[in-house]
Amino acid sequence: MESIQIMGKVQIKQIVTEQYKEKTGAEFRKAIQSVDEELANFDKEMNKTLTELTLKAHPQVEQLRRQFNMEREKIAVYKEQLLGSLKEIADLEMGALVDSGEGNYLQEIRVGDNFAEHTQCVVVIKDDVVVEIRTK
């Protein structure tokens, strides 16, 4: 056998452009809006449930209130993380190279090939167009 196909790792890097900032910012704003809606629904359901339990003199109202508040805090922390990421995107320098993800690719290797060069690569993208493919 002279060659085989193997899976390699690919890192995806993005060149920061105005289009990238706008597109990524819009994705984060949409996620923040979803979290806001989730928080509003959570608050509505939490208040309704706690009111019903209080009226029924349920013995564990305070424990349930603490659990609800802890869950609400987790959602609020996630929203703060999204807001922080949105600010980081806005602060990115034009032309900078940022990590955009990773994946796998199929690569053919032959006897005599440098194995390390064929198992990892970097794909550089600018405004959804591949501008460079680098081997490591």
Side-chain angles (χ1 to χ4, degrees), residues 102-115:
E102 63 178 44
N104 295 314
Y105 70 100
L106 197 56
Q107 173 68 41
E108 182 175 356
I109 59 170
R110 299 180 183 282
V111 173
D113 284 348
N114 182 324
F115 186 76

Side-chain angles (χ1 to χ4, degrees), residues 81-119:
Q81 290 171 341
L82 290 173
L83 288 167
S85 295
L86 185 61
K87 183 180 181 338
E88 287 174 9
I89 291 165
D91 293 343
L92 286 173
E93 188 175 318
M94 294 299 220
L97 201 59
V98 296
D99 289 332
S100 188
E102 63 178 44
N104 295 314
Y105 70 100
L106 197 56
Q107 173 68 41
E108 182 175 356
I109 59 170
R110 299 180 183 282
V111 173
D113 284 348
N114 182 324
F115 186 76
E117 286 180 8
H118 288 81
T119 58

Side-chain angles (χ1 to χ4, degrees), residues 16-36 77-93 98:
V16 176
T17 63
E18 195 60 42
Q19 179 182 341
Y20 170 77
K21 284 181 157 188
E22 288 173 12
K23 180 179 175 183
T24 307
E27 290 170 2
F28 274 96
R29 283 188 292 279
K30 185 176 178 180
I32 290 166
Q33 182 180 359
S34 292
V35 170
D36 283 339
V77 166
Y78 178 60
K79 179 183 175 183
E80 288 302 315
Q81 290 171 341
L82 290 173
L83 288 167
S85 295
L86 185 61
K87 183 180 181 338
E88 287 174 9
I89 291 165
D91 293 343
L92 286 173
E93 188 175 318
V98 296

